[in-house]
């Protein structure tokens, strides 16, 4: 068994998914029997299962697996979390960075777990707005902190490759709860993540 398979096992329905991609290639006008395309349907099927693995992962469980009691009540920030996702409208990639902050209320979680939460929600068909909210809601519901704030900045290939074809536009979304309803707290978070680039 290859390392890739061990790390990212493929799910049921892989053969059927590959058959559908073979039909898609035919409908696009390609010859699926030519050498360069013989293995393409299965490759795409495997890639799509990897890119949507978040449907079969529990982000709440990830946080609770590394939950520690700690009397720390200042802001915890994990910034510049790289992610790749697929927009649900065109199934084209959007990618960028997420910045997440929470103010503990008796419990903290492992820092890598915050990045894992972003990864889980990014590995689904998404819109950036909903993904931002899902990350915030997961942390708020699971850790029950004094507040959570999430900022996501991304470039969307559906804007770059098709439609309006704007190459340098960046979409920013944010969501927050609790203590971050105070403008001063939100501004502190924004100041702390200010110096970064996509």
């Amino acid at each position: 068994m290859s390392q890739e398979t061990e790390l990212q096992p493929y799910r049921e329905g892989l053969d059927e998914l590959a058959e559908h991609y073979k039909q898609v290639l035919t409908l696009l006008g390609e010859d699926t029997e030519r050498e360069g395309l013989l293995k393409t349907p299965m490759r795409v099927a495997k890639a799509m299962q990897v890119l949507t693995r978040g449907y079969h992962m529990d982000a709440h469980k990830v946080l609770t697996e590394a939950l520690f009691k700690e009397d720390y009540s200042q802001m915890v920030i994990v910034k510049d979390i790289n992610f790749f996702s697929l927009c649900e409208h065109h199934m084209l990639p959007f990618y960028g960075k997420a910045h997440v902050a929470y103010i503990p209320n008796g419990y903290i979680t492992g820092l890598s777990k915050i990045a894992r939460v972003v990864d889980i929600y990014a590995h689904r068909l998404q819109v950036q707005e909903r993904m931002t909210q899902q990350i915030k809601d997961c942390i708020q519901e699971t850790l029950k902190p004094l507040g959570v704030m999430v900022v996501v900045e991304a470039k969307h290939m559906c804007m770059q490759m098709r439609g309006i074809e704007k190459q340098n536009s960046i979409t920013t979304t944010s969501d927050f709860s609790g203590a971050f309803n105070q403008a001063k707290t939100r501004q502190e978070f924004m100041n702390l993540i200010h110096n970064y680039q996509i």
Side-chain angles (χ1 to χ4, degrees):
M1 183 178 289
S2 71
Q3 184 178 8
E4 180 183 4
T5 304
E6 290 174 359
L7 293 175
Q8 300 169 338
Y10 299 112
R11 305 188 298 274
E12 187 177 347
L14 188 63
D15 290 335
E16 186 178 359
L17 192 58
E19 188 57 38
H20 284 294
Y21 278 115
K22 186 174 183 179
Q23 293 177 33
V24 168
L25 287 169
T26 300
L27 289 170
L28 291 174
E30 268 293 355
D31 174 11
T32 57
E33 297 305 313
R34 70 179 177 86
E35 184 181 6
L37 289 178
L38 284 174
K39 296 182 180 180
T40 296
M42 182 56 74
R43 288 191 188 108
V44 177
K46 287 180 177 179
M48 288 303 295
Q49 283 204 352
V50 170
L51 294 173
T52 59
R53 66 179 181 256
Y55 287 120
H56 302 274
M57 301 173 78
D58 186 341
H60 296 269
K61 184 178 178 183
V62 164
L63 290 177
T64 57
E65 284 175 347
L67 198 60
F68 309 102
K69 188 168 180 57
E70 191 67 48
D71 292 327
Y72 181 83
S73 58
Q74 301 301 313
M75 201 179 299
V76 177
I77 299 174
V78 183
K79 70 173 189 173
D80 296 336
I81 303 169
N82 292 305
F83 74 88
F84 295 88
S85 191
L86 291 175
C87 85
E88 67 180 32
H89 299 143
H90 303 98
M91 291 179 68
L92 289 172
F94 67 96
Y95 62 95
K97 293 181 180 180
H99 314 281
V100 180
Y102 74 99
I103 300 175
N105 186 21
Y107 290 91
I108 61 172
T109 189
L111 298 177
S112 67
K113 305 305 181 184
I114 300 294
R116 293 260 333 260
V117 168
V118 172
D119 189 63
I120 287 169
Y121 287 114
H123 280 81
R124 301 176 182 186
L125 298 182
Q126 279 289 12
V127 294
Q128 184 176 330
E129 297 88 341
R130 182 174 64 238
M131 187 180 88
T132 304
Q133 184 176 21
Q134 287 175 331
I135 295 166
K136 184 266 295 180
D137 287 346
C138 177
I139 295 168
Q140 183 64 52
E141 293 165 8
T142 309
L143 300 183
K144 296 180 172 44
L146 299 176
V148 180
M149 185 163 178
V150 178
V151 172
V152 176
E153 292 203 355
K155 293 185 176 183
H156 291 249
M157 298 303 287
C158 59
M159 288 183 65
Q160 295 179 319
M161 295 175 65
R162 55 160 301 282
I164 198 162
E165 295 186 12
K166 297 302 180 189
Q167 305 306 314
N168 298 311
S169 63
I170 296 174
T171 300
T172 303
T173 51
S174 67
D175 199 4
F176 49 86
S177 64
F180 288 96
N181 283 298
Q182 300 176 35
K184 181 180 178 181
T185 309
R186 291 199 306 275
Q187 189 58 53
E188 179 185 351
F189 172 60
M190 296 305 291
N191 289 342
L192 288 167
I193 67 168
H194 182 68
N195 295 316
Y196 66 89
Q197 296 179 341
I198 284 189

